[in-house]
Amino acid sequence: AGSLDKVGTSRSVSAMSLGPASSVPSVPLVPSVGGSAPLETYEAAPSVMDSVVKVFCVHTQPNYSLPWQRKRQFSSTSSGFMVKGPKGENWLLTNAHSVEYHSQVKIKKRGDDRKFIAKVLSVGEECDIALLSVEDGEFWEGTQPLSFGDLPSLQDSVYVVGYPIGGDTISVTSGVVSRIEVTSYAHGASELLAVQIDAAINSGNSGGPVFSEHGDCIGIAFQSYAGSDAENIGYVIPTPVIEHFLIDYERSGKFTGFPSIGIQWQKVESEALRRWSKMERSQKGVMVRKVQPTGDAANILREGDILMSFDGVEIASDGTVPFRSGERIAFSYLTSQKFSGDECELRVLRDGQENTFRVKLHQYKGLIPHHLSGGDPSYLVVAGGIFTTATEPYLMSEY
């Protein structure tokens, strides 16, 4: 079986490892699939390429087993690109795992031998996006930010631009869009919309832009599928997720996350289960298996309810909703378009009767967090005993 790997950072200290989800194995020098893309044939290509930068980061990770200490520093390189804020701000986008536990971040432009100090403005762990800025005005002279395009269609040509391993200069690989669906994000342990492509995405590509054949940025390269049973499967963070992150930052000045209803559900495809739920032949939906006790839905929804629609969009018995022409997608895509604190309208079948409820959405907080959002682990020493927070990084460090 394969696994989703964060491929974004090319590490200069090979003895260190980011963990199973983001380790960077040694890669032999072989021709990349797709070859060199003819992006330079477009008139906008020179300015588009100049907007792609190389990110140099020094990381200092916590020692979860000894929470009062930090591990040895290590360096990494990845990619990023320039964008314009809603009020004319000059920003840079890259991946969250590219600047995770950063001590120092520097940016280098194409064709420039200087490195500029960057400031990390916001980090979205769930969507694996980080927002940076460079205060030195000289960095922005003669630059042109990228513009975002629409969500691509299947078989559209795409071009991955960045600074992967195997060389120091900018690299371009080409491919096509293979699939668009809700996908697991390895860094944030979340499930959000992603675009699957067959262009080569290697260590160091992470955070770099992916272009359409018209020169518009249609996403950020961030992970690939590693496994003996699959080849040339790379993933791109699409523009709807990027725009959600930027709007969230504009609204609150920080990343507040992607909300959820606060339930666990199951498909209702069994005829026996449909009869038990008192569903008519024409009715569709998914069954609520568990309701998170800390969410607003705990006061409204019950186990065994059939969730039939979300904001007027019908939910099929397999948990999918219509998506563009002739496509379907997991209905969690609808919740990911909302923001924490927003309300949604749910149509629910309960005891054979249809009801309509309004539920306030919130960010899911697990009992054992997947990450600490860049913070240090808290601990308490009592009579020689050390108590610390149970988190996934701690469990991976210990076991």
Side-chain angles (χ1 to χ4, degrees):
S3 61
L4 291 174
D5 285 1
K6 297 176 290 183
V7 296
T9 56
S10 177
R11 312 236 343 226
S12 59
V13 181
S14 58
M16 301 293 290
S17 174
L18 288 176
S22 59
S23 58
V24 180
S26 59
V27 179
L29 293 176
V30 295
S32 60
V33 176
S36 178
L39 189 60
E40 294 284 5
T41 60
Y42 300 98
E43 294 181 1
S47 61
V48 162
M49 302 278 278
D50 290 342
S51 298
V52 184
V53 299
K54 191 171 186 177
V55 180
F56 298 81
C57 185
V58 178
H59 306 261
T60 310
Q61 294 181 330
N63 187 332
Y64 297 98
S65 300
L66 304 173
W68 56 88
Q69 295 183 359
R70 282 181 170 266
K71 295 181 180 179
R72 180 168 63 98
Q73 288 187 341
F74 64 92
S75 301
S76 70
T77 62
S78 55
S79 307
F81 60 95
M82 305 174 188
V83 295
K84 206 72 165 179
K87 300 179 181 178
E89 306 96 332
N90 291 315
W91 289 338
L92 295 165
L93 285 176
T94 186
N95 279 146
H97 70 263
S98 298
V99 295
E100 185 180 29
Y101 289 110
H102 61 278
S103 298
Q104 185 184 69
V105 181
K106 291 184 177 181
I107 306 296
K108 184 178 180 181
K109 295 191 295 182
R110 182 191 182 202
D112 198 335
D113 60 345
R114 296 169 296 174
K115 297 178 183 177
F116 296 83
I117 297 291
K119 179 182 178 181
V120 179
L121 299 178
S122 181
V123 176
E125 300 285 354
E126 292 178 56
C127 56
D128 203 0
I129 302 176
L131 185 66
L132 316 178
S133 69
V134 176
E135 296 181 355
D136 193 334
E138 190 175 354
F139 173 82
W140 301 101
E141 292 180 359
T143 61
Q144 181 178 345
L146 298 181
S147 59
F148 290 112
D150 297 328
L151 196 65
S153 301
L154 296 180
Q155 295 187 330
D156 279 359
S157 297
V158 293
Y159 305 90
V160 180
V161 181
Y163 293 87
I165 58 174
D168 295 325
T169 58
I170 200 165
S171 168
V172 182
T173 54
S174 64
V176 298
V177 175
S178 307
R179 182 182 294 161
I180 300 176
E181 65 179 359
V182 174
T183 302
S184 296
Y185 280 43
H187 180 69
S190 57
E191 292 191 350
L192 298 170
L193 186 67
V195 177
Q196 179 184 319
I197 62 175
D198 67 353
I201 298 180
N202 297 308
S203 299
N205 267 127
S206 197
V210 178
F211 295 103
S212 68
E213 58 185 356
H214 304 295
D216 295 325
C217 177
I218 56 98
I220 305 174
F222 77 113
Q223 69 184 23
S224 63
Y225 188 88
S228 59
D229 56 344
E231 294 182 357
N232 309 323
I233 298 180
Y235 293 93
V236 177
I237 304 172
T239 50
V241 177
I242 301 171
E243 290 170 355
H244 187 286
F245 170 82
L246 294 176
I247 293 172
D248 194 10
Y249 177 76
E250 181 186 357
R251 286 184 177 184
S252 58
K254 62 179 181 179
F255 176 72
T256 62
F258 290 80
S260 68
I261 303 175
I263 62 171
Q264 294 180 7
W265 57 271
Q266 73 175 69
K267 300 177 181 180
V268 187
E269 296 176 320
S270 165
E271 286 298 328
L273 187 58
R274 289 177 60 87
R275 289 194 299 270
W276 181 87
S277 303
K278 300 179 181 179
M279 297 177 65
E280 297 179 2
R281 182 173 295 274
S282 61
Q283 292 176 324
K284 299 179 180 180
V286 295
M287 176 178 289
V288 177
R289 291 188 57 189
K290 186 177 181 181
V291 183
Q292 186 182 355
T294 58
D296 185 58
N299 302 318
I300 300 173
L301 300 180
R302 303 175 186 172
E303 295 182 10
D305 283 349
I306 303 298
L307 186 59
M308 303 179 67
S309 73
F310 180 98
D311 277 348
V313 181
E314 300 288 335
I315 301 174
S317 296
D318 62 353
T320 62
V321 294
F323 179 69
R324 303 198 301 189
S325 177
E327 299 178 62
R328 300 191 67 85
I329 197 169
F331 89 92
S332 59
Y333 167 73
L334 300 178
T335 63
S336 68
Q337 302 302 296
K338 299 278 191 175
F339 294 87
S340 294
D342 289 354
E343 287 190 346
C344 65
E345 183 178 277
L346 303 178
R347 185 158 56 89
V348 175
L349 181 68
R350 178 181 295 170
D351 296 328
Q353 301 295 322
E354 292 189 14
N355 304 273
T356 300
F357 302 111
R358 295 199 65 83
V359 176
K360 189 175 182 179
L361 302 175
H362 65 96
Q363 185 181 15
Y364 173 75
K365 295 185 182 298
L367 183 61
I368 299 180
H370 179 74
H371 52 75
L372 296 179
S373 299
D376 292 326
S378 60
Y379 66 96
L380 175 66
V381 180
V382 179
I386 302 171
F387 298 85
T388 187
T389 306
T391 63
E392 285 195 26
Y394 168 76
L395 296 177
M396 292 175 63
S397 175
E398 285 291 318
Y399 306 106

